[in-house]
């Protein structure tokens, strides 16, 4: 068997085409969606993520503002900047690119963003609402993963989902979203014993560990759906996922590639959330 590839790149392109029209319609009635991105310091990876987000905004006609702050910006200065954006009516989404310099509390920054503009879905209020299934901004990577699974009409209800990884931005929320879709969810992490026995039971296996080629075919049940969230750069410069793609493709029914899988969907859901934010605003 060779798996069907779920191309995040293709799905993202289709969704962004639809969004372009939606943004044009909103702009025509004076409600152009606006996203502010704050970048602190000069981390090259962060800079390239921010650039990709800005380019995506431009492509669909979204108003985007990049605020670049020096590495030695104080926490108070950053919080003040976020406060000003919370009050700015032309801005509907605020994103602070992580990681932050060590002297700034990530949690204080996340909590300063108004939940009405929390398009990353990291605010405790957004997370709480997600847990109880209320309308909110869903975190972009997990949201994109669910969209990818649904795009192939893959059944989720009653299926066993195993998530490897339990970070606050990927592992935990993707399990929660799939639980909300009525899957039975198991989490594995660095302290899990006999992990292979657990992953082998998965109908849908989501891997978000951050270790190149960590999951081989021996971890995967025949016919499982494999979602590879990992992005790892090898010494050769090549980008690979957490899953050994070539061998996993031979045992799974569906698989996401790296690159061109989950990554493009993450930015797409950020655009989606920013557009949603405008629609939810009362004025
Ligand atoms: P993270 O915060 O470092 O979390 C990694 C998770 O993997 C932790 O829960 C950790 O367990 C678990 N883990 C580590 N070693 C393990 C092992 N030997 N066995 C089982 N579990 C193990 O990473 P993250 O932010 O979730 O990101 C994960 C990967 O996804 C990274 O490669 C990242 O670049 C990528 N990513 C991609 C996108 C995208 O848009 N494509 C977005 C976000 C992240 P403990 O909790 O026990 O330490």
């Amino acid at each position: 068997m060779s798996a069907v590839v779920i191309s995040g790149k293709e799905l993202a392109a289709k969704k962004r085409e639809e969004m372009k029209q939606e943004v044009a319609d909103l702009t025509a009635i004076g409600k152009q969606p606006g996203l502010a991105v704050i970048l602190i310091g000069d981390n090259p990876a962060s800079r390239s993520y921010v650039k990709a987000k800005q380019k995506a905004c431009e492509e669909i006609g979204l108003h985007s503002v990049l605020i670049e702050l020096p590495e030695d910006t104080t926490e108070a200065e950053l919080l003040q900047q976020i406060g000003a954006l919370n009050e700015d009516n032309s801005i509907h989404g605020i994103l602070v690119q992580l990681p932050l310099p060590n002297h700034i509390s990530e949690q204080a920054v996340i909590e300063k963003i108004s939940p009405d503009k929390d398009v990353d879905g990291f605010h405790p209020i957004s997370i709480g609402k997600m847990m109880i299934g209320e309308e909110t901004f869903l975190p972009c990577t997990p949201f994109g993963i669910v969209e990818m699974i649904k795009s192939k009409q893959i059944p989720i209800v009653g299926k066993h989902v195993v998530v490897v990884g339990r970070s606050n931005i990927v592992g935990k929320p993707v399990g929660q979203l799939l639980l909300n879709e009525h899957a039975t969810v198991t989490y594995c992490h660095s302290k899990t014993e006999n992990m292979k026995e657990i992953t082998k039971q998965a109908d849908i296996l989501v891997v978000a560990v951050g270790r190149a080629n960590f999951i081989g075919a021996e971890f995967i049940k025949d016919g499982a759906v494999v979602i590879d969230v990992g992005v790892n750069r090898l010494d050769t410069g090549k980008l690979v996922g957490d899953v050994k793609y070539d061998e996993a493709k031979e045992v799974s029914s569906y698989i996401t590639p790296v690159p061109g899988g989950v990554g493009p969907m993450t930015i797409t859901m950020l655009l989606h959330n920013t557009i949603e934010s405008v629609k939810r605003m009362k004025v």
Side-chain angles (χ1 to χ4, degrees):
M1 179 177 27
S2 189
V4 173
V5 177
I6 313 176
S7 167
K9 198 173 163 193
E10 281 172 21
L11 183 60
K14 183 167 161 265
K15 284 191 177 291
R16 289 185 201 185
E17 208 45 52
E18 291 162 6
M19 287 177 191
K20 211 185 252 184
Q21 187 55 51
E22 212 172 349
V23 171
D25 293 345
L26 285 166
T27 305
I29 56 166
K31 292 184 168 186
Q32 185 186 24
L35 175 71
V37 178
I38 304 180
L39 174 66
I40 298 134
D42 208 21
N43 177 326
S46 293
R47 187 166 289 280
S48 86
Y49 291 141
V50 164
K51 261 171 92 178
K53 285 166 188 168
Q54 278 212 300
K55 186 163 167 269
C57 286
E58 272 167 31
E59 277 168 12
I60 67 159
L62 225 119
H63 168 58
S64 81
V65 179
L66 171 63
I67 297 161
E68 292 187 72
L69 300 173
E71 182 84 22
D72 61 358
T73 302
T74 65
E75 184 175 304
E77 285 166 339
L78 178 56
L79 296 181
Q80 195 181 24
Q81 179 71 69
I82 295 170
L85 291 168
N86 282 340
E87 299 301 318
D88 184 338
N89 289 334
S90 72
I91 295 299
H92 308 90
I94 302 169
L95 182 154
V96 180
Q97 186 64 46
L98 304 177
L100 296 172
N102 290 336
H103 64 278
I104 300 179
S105 154
E106 202 168 285
Q107 208 49 34
V109 167
I110 288 171
E111 291 184 23
K112 180 69 183 178
I113 296 172
S114 162
D116 292 335
K117 299 188 178 186
D118 175 37
V119 288
D120 250 343
F122 293 163
H123 194 289
I125 289 181
S126 306
I127 294 167
K129 284 187 171 179
M130 176 191 68
M131 284 205 71
I132 59 174
E134 264 189 34
E135 184 181 79
T136 188
F137 294 116
L138 300 177
C140 302
T141 302
F143 190 8
I145 291 170
V146 175
E147 290 292 302
M148 290 174 88
I149 295 171
K150 287 186 174 174
S151 75
K152 296 292 185 194
Q153 287 84 42
I154 294 166
I156 301 174
V157 178
K159 298 299 174 191
H160 190 185
V161 170
V162 176
V163 182
V164 187
R166 56 172 170 176
S167 70
N168 289 337
I169 62 166
V170 188
K172 278 183 202 158
V174 77
Q176 182 64 49
L177 288 184
L178 290 164
L179 177 65
N180 293 359
E181 297 286 339
H182 311 292
T184 302
V185 180
T186 305
Y187 289 94
C188 297
H189 47 77
S190 67
K191 307 284 188 290
T192 299
E193 292 176 5
N194 305 322
M195 198 174 82
K196 203 186 299 173
E197 284 168 26
I198 300 167
T199 60
K200 268 278 203 187
Q201 294 172 30
D203 300 306
I204 301 175
L205 179 62
V206 182
V207 187
V209 172
R211 285 184 174 212
N213 299 319
F214 180 62
I215 295 286
E218 72 279 15
F219 286 85
I220 303 168
K221 180 168 91 173
D222 272 354
V225 175
V226 177
I227 309 291
D228 188 357
V229 189
V231 180
N232 310 287
R233 197 171 287 283
L234 301 180
D235 292 341
T236 57
K238 191 180 175 209
L239 271 192
V240 297
D242 290 348
V243 174
K244 289 180 183 163
Y245 183 78
D246 290 340
E247 57 180 71
K249 196 167 183 274
E250 295 310 312
V251 292
S252 53
S253 56
Y254 291 89
I255 191 164
T256 63
V258 179
V262 174
M265 284 302 289
T266 296
I267 296 186
T268 304
M269 302 328 290
L270 173 71
L271 303 174
H272 169 94
N273 282 350
T274 308
I275 296 168
E276 272 306 302
S277 176
V278 180
K279 293 199 222 160
R280 285 183 204 164
M281 290 209 170
K282 308 255 174 340
V283 284

